[in-house]
Amino acid sequence: MKAFSYERARTPAEAAAAAAEHEDAKFIAGGTNLLDLMKLEIETPAHLIDVNGLALDTIETTPEGGLKIGALVRNTDLAAHKRVRKDYALLTRALMAGASGQLRNKATTAGNLLQRTRCPYFYDTAQPCNKRSPGSGCAAIGGFSRQLGLVGVSDACIATHPSDMGVAMRALDAVVETVKPDGETRTIPVAEFHRLPGDTPHVENALEKGELITAMTLPAPVGGKHVYRKVRDRASYAFALISVGAVVQPDGTGRVAIGGVAPKPWRVEAAEADMKRGAKAVADGLFANARPTHHNEFKRTLAERTLGSVLTEARG
Amino acid sequence: MAGPRDWEISRRDLMVGAGAGAVLAATPKLAEAGASLASETRMPTLASVSFTVNGEGRRLEVDTRTTLLDALRERLQLTGTKKGCDHGQCGACTVIVDGHRINSCLTLAVMHEGSEVTTIEGLGQPENLHPMQAAFVKHDGFQCGYCTPGQICSAVAVLDEIKAGIPSHVTVELDGELLPTSDEIRERMSGNICRCGAYSNIVDAMAEVAGRRA
Amino acid sequence: MPMKFNEPAGANPIDRQKVIGKPFDRIEGPLKVTGRAPYAYERHDAVENPAVGFVVGAGIAKGRIKSIDVTAARKAPGVLAVVTAETAGKLGLGKYNIAKLLGGPEIDHYHQAIAVVVAESFEQARAAAGLLRVDYAAEKGVFDLRGTKDTSVKPKPSGGDEPDSAKGDFAGAFEAAAVKLDETYTTPDHAHAMMEPHASMASWDGNKVTVWTSNQMIDWGVSDLAKTLGLPKENVRLVSPYVGGGFGGKLFLRADAVLAALGAKAAGRPVKVALPRPLVFNNTTHRPATVQRVRIGAGRDGKITAIGHETWSGNLPNGKPENAIDQTRLLYAGANRMTATRLALLNLPEGNAMRAPGEAPGLMALEIAMDEMAGKLGMDPVEFRILNDTQVDPENPERKFSQRRLSECFRIGSGRFGWSARKQPGETRDGRWLVGMGVATAFRGNLVMKSAARARLAADGRITVETDMTDIGTGTYTIIAQTTAEMLGVPLTQIDVKLGDSAFPVSAGSGGQWGANSATSGVYACCVKLREAIARQAGLDPLKADFADGQVTADGKSVALAGVANARDIVVEDGIEFGDLDKRYAQSTFGAHFVEIGVDHATGESRIRRMLAVCAAGRILNPKSARSQVIGAMTMGAGAALMEELAVDKERGFFVNHDLAGYEVPVHADIPHQEVVFLDETDPYSSPMKAKGVGELGICGVAAAVANAIYNATGVRVRDYPITLDKLLSAMPEVG
């Protein structure tokens, strides 16, 4: 871990200003992914801005009847929140499927969205990785890629986004709220938040330098049956091979987002038109341009079968 | 510009080392050795932090890079908290901070100004075991002992989490009553790996304590 | 003169079983559950403020270092020393090491240590390590076991056993058999993944070095550290009272100890080193992958007429094979037999022992084959195994087993588990889940090793036992105290046990499940001598002396032990050596594993519902800690069945998933309540304790029982471990 200076910010504006002031600064909140990466020198900030003192840890009802979730709300608290359990059960289920109790107690809403891939080659600094070290190549393509992505990937990178929460947020049409160093605020639909790798896999999201996530907003509840199914080799404390988050209405329509298959929570709205026709039709739409590796081609079948099971449960 | 220096309070509780970016300027000789060197070698930043550990106030001057885990183990010599992976992948470093269990390896000591930390040493002592520690001995909920402090800190917190109504991955009804069933215990304890495989006995130990409390 | 164990044990004080055989809590338990038991990296009590060494691993699998630039690291804040092969001086290679523990300029495997950076603090050492600039010349290596199957060779005999064995006419009998099976199975590379990473702290006093470390075999470690550093053995002391798990991964001297010693020498002060977790998987040893071909021929009556087992594994030059055929030579009857072991050269990290080497991977294959064969014969898998049980070494029928109650394990297990409720493959459904039951034999050799101890009776009547034996979670502290208490007729609380210090007499050490039986036998021998010394001191006839209730009694006269050693402690040292009883009689441990599993019909996820092990392993010294050994081994076996695999990058030549997130081992949620039954038995051919090992028996067969349960649940037979969902999906039923 490279040495860094450290400060505690008290307001979003202060945090943003600090970020503008330092060439190589990072915000730190839960720290559960950032410190992990700093120990391996995959992240090497020279300055850390501790944003835990920002009063962004509340969940409020929006005028539209949705929820505004502070960026610093811990995963455990978000999952356990009464309104989330009642109206956005998909989010509770997804959060509780992720990581461990200890990590969920620390990890924040914004940090969860910003966590980086678990590609083992990204994590090994002796290996080439276009995401970690642009232009160095990709060892995962042609390497061990069982965990990695098959859709939305590129010749430069096949990493997946590991978040469970993100899958639920995508299915629930969440919106990210931010503040920039100059004090300007903006909103970014979560659908547009993560970037596909293309030739620049190191650019992972829409945030600009020094831009800080302040909240995520959920629109008014959409009702329906909420199911989150995470598929993994061991029963807990493991990243998803794939996951399926679905909201299914009594009439059989609904929404589906998939985790573990793409560089972002994967949802294709057009494919949802086929919900009534069943899992195969939806999966065909979700994976229309899939380019699996030999190691991860099973994920296509797995996703379709899991979706089928989820739809059965939702309709049952 | 040369060495580490103490933290001084400045605007926004700034903790910086030797000037902007805290980058060690390359000496001419080093500059000849490689241009990249200057940006790589950085002087450590020292900072002070105060928190409570097992009820006792402690104040430390630490390298900002020091994790809470290393502050406990190396500086305070509270080595009951273990380093199994240092990356949040095993749970051996679990401590209870402000009532919540966390991985002490994935948080910096300087981020815990004012925190109340409870470690395994604070739960009980060999002559005065916490009920959970006693139950682990009775049910042989450990073998090599290395993951044990983390398991026990987690176990104590898990029963509190269930009592507080926090749901888990295996909770069937999100609005129903929560009970410390074996399934709930197993899921919630899954962030604590025991390679010796004492899981079945740990569940027995926790069930006994949960029953006693109920 | 150590006690010789050449003939079966007669009646002895251990048979009283007042203390031995009772489920005492671990005597070091209160220290462990309160965090007071000190492990190697935590010895603030022994050395104040040591410097910290951070190990740098090679970034290539094979080739050489063209140059290492340590300039920046050397000048980084807090750095005291940087040691590389260039600066370390001449180093020897330990007897038990295959690859050098400090590599360079040649690199033998990925993450082979190439430097240690020593600094005032961990943070400084780690940061400085990141400043090393290494220029490599990488070479092509061989990394894919399957690709080398045809070029593998017959290895040198290991452990006295020839790589090949034959009896009768296997080829002819197999050809003629009415029912035949010929299948190939694979097991992947496994990591020990003990929770405490390898760690050591070294302190020099002149040319003598003390190393606080985490090691299973103290005497091997002392010898090999001396050899590596070019020191006389007496100049090296190892101290390892608590070991945070080993499973074979800490049998040998490893880089942490060598680099702590070299770092301390270079820095001129004590240094501690722990391997960073991401380095552990490629830097240290692992259980090698195998490819195994099993052929079984039987008559329609189910009796095996021909059994053949061939295994291939790979290792670095001078490495050993994985002897996956071991159990097949002894396990089932059958007149015509063959086994063969082949070894390929691989440039992966060093393969070596992991919990039940040989049998653990061997039974993963053989016991699926037995299940398949039972299926072909239309027999119940339990009945098929009982039918082919034997009381003699099938290669050498004059040689009997000292004791063998395998069939009884199956019968008891069947009843307890409700085996008769098992249905045909794919016939049991519980909601989303396909449910099945599986069974497999557990079998592991009973090894014995010479072992010594020192015992001291103090004036207050307390008895202290010292031996370099280790407790790696096995319960050694407690069973040694129990042995001593039983022999001297005093309560357990009167005994202090000190372990893991090379200043103590050399013991069997912890490995090959020989530790408990051998080390307590050494303590037994020592206690026999202590009894004689006490009796003499008390003025009693040693031959008539009886030790009970804190007193020694002979000829009607009783003396309290507390008063015997009044002026000075009575101290004796003795040990045990084993003769050829293990040659004259086949000595093994036996068991039956039963597993019930649910497989999600849609996703193919397998989740174990019930597990039972029935074990026959001689006298059980402490049923509580022995049971823990078995449930722990069952857990590791479950991991081997369902998830554990070091993923090999076959181009770049390393284990890719080299951390605890990537290499998945079972968590709480994977393991149901586990049941263990021990048959009540003693084996006088094994030792005066009449005990055997049990810690490795517990893993043997588990993975196959899981595999067979998955087959029973789904009707899908998978022969490549681990049985992950991707191997089941294509054959699973329609989702609904």
Side-chain angles (χ1 to χ4, degrees):
Chain A
M1 188 185 293
K2 295 208 173 290
F4 56 84
S5 49
Y6 169 89
E7 71 177 291
R8 298 186 191 106
R10 285 187 292 255
T11 66
E14 223 177 68
E21 205 172 286
H22 291 273
E23 184 50 37
D24 198 3
K26 280 259 177 198
F27 300 117
I28 185 165
T32 52
N33 190 211
L34 180 59
L35 289 171
D36 171 32
L37 295 169
M38 285 170 65
K39 289 178 185 195
L40 298 166
E41 299 196 352
I42 294 163
E43 296 275 10
T44 56
H47 186 69
L48 278 189
I49 303 157
D50 183 342
V51 295
N52 285 294
L54 274 52
L56 298 173
D57 55 356
T58 58
I59 301 174
E60 291 156 23
T61 304
T62 64
E64 297 77 30
L67 286 182
K68 180 173 173 174
I69 302 156
L72 292 168
V73 174
R74 308 288 152 172
N75 286 177
T76 300
D77 297 333
L78 180 55
H81 190 268
K82 284 213 157 30
R83 277 254 357 242
V84 177
R85 282 200 238 186
K86 182 170 159 283
D87 294 332
Y88 307 93
L90 181 64
L91 182 54
T92 291
R93 294 291 184 192
L95 283 161
M96 285 304 178
S100 68
Q102 293 95 312
L103 289 163
R104 293 191 298 266
N105 280 344
K106 204 82 184 117
T108 63
T109 307
N112 189 310
L113 204 63
L114 289 169
Q115 67 182 297
R116 306 194 68 187
T117 185
R118 303 300 305 198
C119 175
Y121 297 94
F122 172 73
Y123 263 79
D124 188 335
T125 50
Q127 299 302 325
C129 170
N130 288 321
K131 184 185 278 296
R132 173 171 30 79
S133 181
S136 62
C138 173
I141 298 172
F144 174 68
S145 56
R146 182 169 181 264
Q147 283 279 352
L148 302 178
L150 60 157
V151 62
V153 296
S154 73
D155 289 339
C157 183
I158 58 171
T160 53
H161 192 266
S163 170
D164 291 296
M165 183 199 82
V167 175
M169 290 290 194
R170 179 72 178 88
L172 295 169
D173 285 333
V175 173
V176 180
E177 297 188 3
T178 71
V179 58
K180 292 184 189 179
D182 60 6
E184 184 195 334
T185 60
R186 66 167 174 155
T187 59
I188 310 164
V190 79
E192 294 161 26
F193 185 79
H194 294 107
R195 294 280 164 84
L196 293 180
D199 296 332
T200 55
H202 57 290
V203 181
E204 295 177 352
N205 58 56
L207 292 181
E208 294 172 12
K209 182 176 151 42
E211 189 171 4
L212 178 73
I213 298 177
T214 53
M216 292 189 75
T217 305
L218 290 170
V222 295
K225 175 92 174 170
H226 291 215
V227 181
Y228 188 76
R229 189 79 65 81
K230 182 173 183 176
V231 183
R232 43 192 164 176
D233 293 323
R234 71 180 177 193
S236 189
Y237 200 21
F239 294 96
L241 288 167
I242 65 124
S243 65
V244 174
V247 177
V248 183
Q249 301 299 341
D251 66 358
T253 62
R255 313 158 169 209
V256 176
I258 311 276
V261 297
K264 58 194 283 187
W266 195 247
R267 182 178 173 196
V268 178
E269 274 83 346
E272 291 166 2
D274 286 323
M275 285 282 277
K276 285 180 164 176
R277 290 175 51 214
K280 183 177 185 309
V282 180
D284 283 345
L286 281 165
F287 294 99
N289 297 308
R291 29 188 294 187
T293 68
H294 174 64
H295 286 134
N296 70 21
E297 61 190 356
F298 75 94
K299 287 189 175 187
R300 168 69 179 80
T301 309
L302 179 61
E304 182 179 321
R305 292 181 65 94
T306 307
L307 178 58
S309 184
V310 164
L311 293 179
T312 303
E313 180 185 334
R315 288 162 185 163
Chain B
M1 185 81 206
R5 65 190 181 102
D6 288 353
W7 169 50
E8 291 166 12
I9 296 175
S10 61
R11 188 178 66 86
R12 298 191 313 260
D13 292 356
L14 197 61
M15 298 176 186
V16 293
V23 173
L24 176 71
T27 64
K29 196 176 172 196
L30 281 180
E32 285 166 19
S36 63
L37 196 58
S39 62
E40 289 178 338
T41 307
R42 300 182 193 154
M43 294 309 294
T45 303
L46 293 186
S48 111
V49 62
S50 299
F51 43 64
T52 304
V53 182
N54 301 327
E56 195 184 333
R58 309 298 294 249
R59 183 185 162 87
L60 290 174
E61 297 284 321
V62 293
D63 186 318
T64 52
R65 293 171 290 187
T66 309
T67 59
L68 178 59
L69 173 62
D70 285 326
L72 292 169
R73 281 170 63 82
E74 304 300 327
R75 300 296 303 280
L76 301 178
Q77 302 195 358
L78 291 169
T79 54
T81 308
K82 302 304 183 192
K83 186 184 280 191
C85 73
D86 216 14
H87 287 276
Q89 301 165 353
C90 79
C93 67
T94 302
V95 297
I96 301 169
V97 176
D98 299 329
H100 304 289
R101 57 180 172 138
I102 63 165
N103 297 121
S104 61
C105 74
L106 286 187
T107 192
L108 297 170
V110 291
M111 293 165 70
H112 288 281
E113 182 66 33
S115 290
E116 287 187 19
V117 182
T118 302
T119 70
I120 191 70
E121 290 92 345
L123 286 180
Q125 298 75 45
E127 320 71 40
N128 177 33
L129 298 178
H130 182 281
M132 190 64 79
Q133 292 171 321
F136 267 61
V137 173
K138 178 181 165 190
H139 291 277
D140 214 28
F142 60 94
Q143 292 175 38
C144 80
Y146 200 77
C147 74
T148 311
Q151 299 277 356
I152 291 173
C153 285
S154 245
V156 168
V158 158
L159 296 189
D160 287 343
E161 287 165 16
I162 292 174
K163 217 172 177 182
I166 295 167
S168 85
H169 174 60
V170 299
T171 305
V172 178
E173 297 295 337
L174 289 183
D175 53 359
E177 191 195 359
L178 268 178
L179 293 171
T181 61
S182 295
D183 280 350
E184 284 284 357
I185 287 173
R186 287 188 191 108
E187 162 58 26
R188 290 165 192 267
M189 289 297 292
S190 286
N192 291 85
I193 294 176
C194 171
R195 185 58 159 163
C196 295
Y199 297 135
S200 187
N201 289 352
I202 291 171
V203 174
D204 289 348
M206 290 180 67
E208 180 180 299
V209 175
R212 192 183 291 159
R213 284 160 32 130
Chain C
M1 276 294 285
M3 179 183 283
K4 304 278 188 202
F5 187 72
N6 293 324
E7 294 301 327
N12 68 42
I14 296 296
D15 294 329
R16 296 188 290 193
Q17 296 215 138
K18 285 184 181 166
V19 191
I20 280 291
K22 299 282 186 286
F24 282 101
D25 294 343
R26 286 168 202 259
I27 61 173
E28 84 288 10
L31 291 180
K32 284 181 175 170
V33 299
T34 57
R36 264 73 168 187
Y39 296 79
Y41 197 80
E42 305 168 349
R43 298 305 297 267
H44 296 293
D45 61 317
V47 172
E48 247 180 87
N49 196 28
V52 177
F54 196 88
V55 179
V56 180
I60 61 168
K62 187 173 188 301
R64 37 184 295 281
I65 296 171
K66 288 198 284 189
S67 67
I68 302 187
D69 182 357
V70 303
T71 318
R74 193 69 193 78
K75 299 199 172 186
V79 170
L80 302 167
V82 180
V83 180
T84 65
E86 255 182 306
T87 62
K90 188 172 153 45
L91 296 176
L93 181 68
K95 177 183 168 192
Y96 294 96
N97 296 129
I98 296 169
K100 287 189 288 185
L101 298 177
L102 177 59
E106 290 80 23
I107 298 300
D108 301 306
H109 62 86
Y110 198 71
H111 280 178
Q112 183 176 29
I114 56 168
V116 61
V117 178
V118 180
E120 294 285 351
S121 73
F122 171 68
E123 292 77 19
Q124 291 170 333
R126 180 178 56 191
L131 298 175
L132 285 194
R133 288 294 162 260
V134 188
D135 191 10
Y136 297 102
E139 291 166 23
K140 277 266 175 213
V142 183
F143 308 116
D144 185 359
L145 176 62
R146 294 195 201 212
T148 63
K149 211 178 112 180
D150 297 332
T151 56
S152 57
V153 299
K154 191 167 158 177
K156 281 182 273 185
S158 71
D161 282 341
E162 289 293 325
D164 293 357
S165 71
K167 170 85 180 171
D169 172 19
F170 170 78
F174 182 70
E175 182 60 36
V179 181
K180 282 185 257 201
L181 171 112
D182 181 354
E183 293 289 356
T184 297
Y185 307 84
T186 65
T187 65
D189 299 284
H190 287 154
H192 307 86
M194 71 298 279
M195 297 316 298
E196 180 204 24
H198 300 69
S200 293
M201 177 168 72
S203 178
W204 289 86
D205 179 7
N207 60 353
K208 294 187 172 180
V209 66
T210 300
V211 181
W212 293 264
T213 188
S214 184
N215 190 291
Q216 301 173 226
M217 299 290 295
I218 299 302
D219 194 54
W220 292 3
V222 170
S223 301
D224 271 356
L225 185 56
K227 195 172 174 213
T228 304
L229 298 177
L231 294 173
K233 194 175 167 186
E234 58 270 22
N235 286 17
V236 175
R237 182 175 169 210
L238 253 53
V239 185
S240 185
Y242 293 97
V243 180
F247 315 112
K250 293 175 181 167
L251 284 169
F252 316 110
L253 178 75
R254 297 300 312 170
D256 55 301
V258 173
L259 294 179
L262 292 173
K265 179 141 249 183
R269 60 186 265 199
V271 166
K272 60 181 181 180
V273 170
L275 293 186
R277 180 61 69 176
L279 206 69
V280 171
F281 294 82
N282 285 282
N283 176 273
T284 67
T285 60
H286 64 279
R287 187 202 301 283
T290 65
V291 177
Q292 301 178 49
R293 181 188 188 195
V294 179
R295 283 175 289 173
I296 304 175
R300 301 245 174 250
D301 60 357
K303 288 200 169 161
I304 293 173
T305 54
I307 186 162
H309 194 161
E310 298 152 79
T311 183
W312 292 264
S313 60
N315 215 330
L316 289 167
N318 301 317
K320 290 178 186 164
E322 181 69 28
N323 293 319
I325 52 77
D326 277 355
Q327 70 292 322
T328 307
R329 298 182 60 182
L330 286 163
L331 188 44
Y332 296 115
N336 304 288
R337 338 176 47 92
M338 66 81 66
T339 67
T341 302
R342 294 294 177 269
L343 177 62
L345 193 142
L346 286 182
N347 301 106
L348 290 170
E350 175 180 334
N352 216 315
M354 177 170 153
R355 202 171 200 165
E359 282 100 326
L363 286 162
M364 288 171 79
L366 178 64
E367 288 299 293
I368 294 184
M370 288 294 286
D371 200 65
E372 294 195 70
M373 193 65 188
K376 281 174 183 262
L377 287 159
M379 288 184 75
D380 182 285
V382 168
E383 290 309 316
F384 179 52
R385 287 177 173 89
I386 289 174
L387 181 68
N388 288 288
D389 195 6
T390 173
Q391 290 296 316
V392 298
D393 174 354
E395 285 182 8
N396 185 9
E398 307 82 61
R399 182 174 176 245
K400 291 180 180 162
F401 279 90
S402 61
Q403 179 140 256
R404 176 164 167 139
R405 295 165 71 191
L406 176 60
S407 292
E408 209 174 324
C409 292
F410 276 107
R411 292 202 181 95
I412 290 170
S414 298
R416 275 187 95 113
F417 200 71
W419 178 252
S420 60
R422 176 174 169 270
K423 295 184 191 161
Q424 289 303 303
E427 284 187 355
T428 307
R429 180 100 183 225
D430 173 13
R432 269 163 52 194
W433 301 91
L434 308 174
V435 180
M437 290 189 215
V439 73
T441 298
F443 179 91
R444 170 72 173 151
N446 179 53
L447 306 174
V448 286
M449 295 274 275
K450 74 173 184 178
S451 195
R454 183 186 300 142
R456 173 191 310 271
L457 173 68
D460 60 1
R462 291 197 73 78
I463 299 163
T464 303
V465 180
E466 297 172 337
T467 165
D468 84 353
M469 181 61 192
T470 47
D471 188 330
I472 62 173
T474 36
T476 313
Y477 279 104
T478 310
I479 57 173
I480 283 181
Q482 285 176 270
T483 303
T484 311
E486 191 76 81
M487 290 297 288
L488 277 305
V490 299
L492 197 61
T493 49
Q494 288 285 97
I495 314 293
D496 295 309
V497 179
K498 295 184 175 175
L499 299 180
D501 189 329
S502 60
F504 303 151
V506 175
S507 72
S510 299
Q513 82 168 6
W514 63 60
N517 181 40
S518 302
T520 54
S521 294
V523 171
Y524 168 90
C526 183
C527 287
V528 167
K529 199 165 179 181
L530 182 62
R531 285 162 58 110
E532 292 167 5
I534 291 170
R536 266 196 298 276
Q537 179 78 16
L540 301 175
D541 180 353
L543 293 174
K544 295 181 185 167
D546 180 50
F547 288 74
D549 306 322
Q551 297 190 316
V552 52
T553 304
D555 298 318
K557 183 185 162 200
S558 291
V559 179
L561 292 198
V564 177
N566 37 24
R568 58 194 168 95
D569 295 356
I570 299 176
V571 184
V572 303
E573 189 172 321
D574 205 353
I576 194 161
E577 287 180 8
F578 294 88
D580 64 350
L581 275 176
D582 60 336
K583 307 278 183 304
R584 282 150 62 195
Y585 295 87
Q587 291 191 19
S588 300
T589 59
F590 308 90
H593 285 291
F594 292 81
V595 169
E596 182 180 277
I597 205 158
V599 182
D600 187 300
H601 82 288
T603 65
E605 290 165 289
S606 297
R607 302 288 181 249
I608 298 175
R609 298 181 157 206
R610 294 193 293 139
M611 297 182 95
L612 165 69
V614 184
C615 302
R619 172 179 271 140
I620 300 303
L621 302 173
N622 180 326
K624 186 177 281 192
S625 56
R627 178 181 172 279
S628 287
Q629 283 291 289
V630 176
I631 67 167
M634 289 157 79
T635 301
M636 199 176 272
L642 297 177
M643 64 192 79
E644 292 187 38
E645 173 174 21
L646 284 165
V648 179
D649 185 311
K650 289 166 186 167
E651 284 296 312
R652 296 167 187 275
F654 70 109
F655 301 132
V656 180
N657 50 343
H658 54 72
D659 60 25
L660 284 173
Y663 185 83
E664 291 185 10
V665 301
V667 296
H668 274 273
D670 291 298
I671 303 300
H673 178 74
Q674 295 166 316
E675 232 192 306
V676 180
V677 176
F678 293 112
L679 298 196
D680 186 8
E681 67 175 32
T682 53
D683 189 339
Y685 295 81
S686 173
S687 75
M689 301 301 292
K690 304 173 188 174
K692 294 176 180 174
V694 73
E696 298 192 333
L697 176 67
I699 193 175
C700 291
V702 176
V706 173
N708 296 338
I710 290 172
Y711 172 74
N712 183 243
T714 63
V716 185
R717 181 63 75 181
V718 178
R719 300 183 182 88
D720 300 298
Y721 290 98
I723 306 175
T724 47
L725 55 90
D726 43 309
K727 297 170 188 170
L728 295 169
L729 273 186
S730 61
M732 293 293 278
E734 289 278 298
V735 179

